[in-house]
Amino acid sequence: MNLSTEWLKAAYLDLENIKYIVNVEHLSSVTAFHSQQAIEKCFKSLVQHKYNKVKNQHDLLKLYESVSDLINIDALDNLDTLNQLYIDSRYPGDMGLLPYGKPSLEDAQEFYEFTFDIFNQVCIILNVDPDEVK
């Protein structure tokens, strides 16, 4: 496997984690965290493909900016929200909080669907069979 596929494989592991917890309300912030991580890895897969090098970058908006010619994300607000959750989760008092508090179960499910869609788009762009990364 090439490095782009390895990034997708890592993203898939986050998606697998989400699958088991997405309907557990008290783990909604963990679902959001794994969603951010999976999207970051999907974007890094595209960065690896495009530039053959991945920088130590965690900001989803900056990563997306570097590959926006390869993939189109309509819900930039979801990227921004997940980006903020990741940054804020570094501080214990704010761990996984949205402006209105902890993500709801509906938020978590929306993040999962959004993340899964990005994963599938990246697989198509890179011509990778999703079963290949399991």
Side-chain angles (χ1 to χ4, degrees):
M1 276 189 205
N2 64 42
L3 285 175
S4 293
T5 306
E6 290 295 326
W7 279 111
L8 276 179
K9 191 173 191 174
Y12 182 79
L13 293 176
D14 283 304
L15 284 167
E16 280 288 288
N17 279 305
I18 296 169
K19 183 170 71 173
Y20 291 105
I21 64 172
V22 69
N23 294 312
V24 182
E25 191 160 5
H26 72 277
L27 296 177
S28 63
S29 61
V30 179
T31 296
F33 177 79
H34 280 290
S35 293
Q36 185 282 336
Q37 289 289 288
I39 292 170
E40 179 181 330
K41 293 166 187 169
C42 285
F43 287 166
K44 286 182 175 180
S45 178
L46 291 174
V47 169
Q48 177 66 39
H49 173 76
K50 182 176 177 180
Y51 299 105
N52 208 31
K53 183 178 181 183
V54 175
K55 293 180 181 178
N56 189 12
Q57 174 66 255
H58 306 288
D59 187 306
L60 295 181
L61 297 172
K62 289 181 181 176
L63 285 166
Y64 174 64
E65 188 177 291
S66 68
V67 295
S68 61
D69 59 325
L70 299 176
I71 186 171
N72 184 33
I73 306 296
D74 292 329
L76 291 179
D77 55 328
N78 279 344
L79 282 183
D80 186 47
T81 300
L82 288 168
N83 210 38
Q84 290 305 312
L85 282 169
Y86 173 74
I87 292 166
D88 291 345
S89 73
R90 294 177 175 186
Y91 301 93
D94 294 331
M95 187 167 163
L97 297 181
L98 295 171
Y100 51 83
K102 186 175 177 237
S104 68
L105 190 57
E106 292 78 23
D107 292 327
Q109 291 164 341
E110 181 180 337
F111 294 147
Y112 175 59
E113 290 170 15
F114 178 66
T115 304
F116 197 73
D117 179 59
I118 290 173
F119 173 81
N120 284 323
Q121 285 188 61
V122 173
C123 286
I124 291 167
I125 292 165
L126 298 180
N127 197 29
V128 171
D129 181 347
D131 290 333
E132 183 181 328
V133 297
K134 291 181 182 176

